[in-house]
């Protein structure tokens, strides 16, 4: 696949990504493949260090800098050299526990309804709510770039980066997985299924 101008690489979608793209195009407002993680943070948070950790991890993994587009008959994903992670900060002041919970729920709803345009990387964003002595981070991302297991690994890497711990070498890029899927001979597995 020819890369989109300024993209590092372009390649086909996995079959699962193709299904998600189809459903997104069928009903763009459904939010069906919008995933969210809400983190409670006790004590103080260094906002700039957290923002930098999130960006560092996005810079390390191609899939976190991916967008999707039509390319003739087949959609493709473009990997961008850099995709700044939107990182909003909202100072909520000292709230009671029920007020904090209500603020987090309202932020989750607002972030989900905001959608994630598939044609613009990154397909993730963070909203940090500051509550005096505590905080909540809301991470919204599209399922087409991360499943639950991968999201957990990414989150662990972000927390390691925030804490200043050394990061492991990244695994193979998502493109390697897509290329391996394309090499599979589906007819060879037909007897098994």
């Amino acid at each position: 696949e020819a890369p989109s101008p300024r993209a590092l690489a372009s390649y086909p979608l996995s079959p699962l990504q193709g299904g998600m793209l189809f459903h997104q195009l069928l009903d763009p407002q459904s939010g069906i493949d919008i995933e969210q993680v809400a983190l409670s943070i006790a004590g103080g948070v260094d906002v700039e260090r957290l923002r930098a950790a999130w960006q560092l991890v996005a810079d390390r993994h191609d899939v976190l800098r991916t967008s999707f587009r039509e390319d003739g008959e087949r959609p493709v994903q473009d990997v961008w050299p850099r995709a700044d992670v939107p990182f909003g900060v909202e100072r909520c002041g000292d709230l009671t526990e029920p007020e904090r919970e209500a603020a987090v729920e309202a932020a989750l709803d607002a972030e989900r309804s905001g959608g994630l345009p598939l044609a613009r990387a990154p397909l993730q964003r963070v909203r940090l709510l500051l509550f005096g002595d505590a905080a909540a981070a809301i991470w919204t991302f599209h399922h087409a770039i991360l499943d639950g297991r991968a999201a957990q690994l990414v989150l662990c890497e972000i927390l390691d980066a925030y804490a200043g711990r050394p990061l492991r070498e990244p695994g193979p890029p998502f493109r390697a997985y897509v290329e391996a899927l394309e090499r599979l001979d589906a007819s060879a597995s037909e007897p098994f299924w």
Side-chain angles (χ1 to χ4, degrees):
E1 303 293 331
S4 183
R6 297 185 320 271
L8 288 176
S10 297
Y11 52 93
L13 280 60
S14 72
L16 185 57
Q17 286 177 310
M20 289 179 195
L21 181 64
F22 170 79
H23 287 285
Q24 178 80 27
L25 295 173
L26 190 63
D27 187 3
Q29 302 305 315
S30 72
I32 193 167
D33 289 316
I34 302 294
E35 302 291 326
Q36 294 183 294
V37 175
L39 303 169
S40 293
I41 304 169
V45 61
D46 183 331
V47 173
E48 290 311 310
R49 193 169 67 181
L50 186 58
R51 182 189 323 261
W54 230 288
Q55 188 63 53
L56 172 70
V57 173
D59 292 344
R60 287 169 47 89
H61 300 285
D62 289 357
V63 75
L64 298 177
R65 300 185 319 275
T66 297
S67 63
F68 298 91
R69 67 179 165 89
E70 292 292 326
D71 186 32
E73 294 180 19
R74 190 172 185 186
V76 296
Q77 48 195 319
D78 291 321
V79 176
W80 300 93
R82 173 121 176 145
D84 292 330
V85 178
F87 195 100
V89 179
E90 187 177 327
R91 297 186 187 284
C92 302
D94 266 335
L95 300 178
T96 65
E97 190 59 35
E99 291 170 330
R100 288 179 186 186
E101 290 174 14
V104 169
E105 285 302 317
L108 283 164
D109 290 344
E111 289 297 318
R112 176 175 292 284
S113 67
L116 288 162
L118 294 174
R120 191 171 59 233
L123 297 176
Q124 64 167 324
R125 65 176 171 267
V126 179
R127 185 170 177 181
L128 185 64
L129 306 176
L130 300 175
F131 304 116
D133 65 339
I138 297 170
W139 180 29
T140 303
F141 57 92
H142 202 285
H143 193 185
I145 63 165
L146 293 171
D147 64 8
R149 175 70 176 138
Q152 179 184 5
L153 295 172
V154 167
L155 190 54
C156 287
E157 191 170 325
I158 290 164
L159 295 175
D160 283 344
Y162 178 78
R165 292 187 285 268
L167 303 180
R168 287 186 262 166
E169 283 300 311
F174 188 72
R175 178 183 192 152
Y177 169 70
V178 172
E179 289 171 348
L181 282 177
E182 289 197 322
R183 288 191 302 271
L184 286 178
D185 178 8
S187 64
S189 61
E190 212 170 281
F192 175 79
W193 295 108

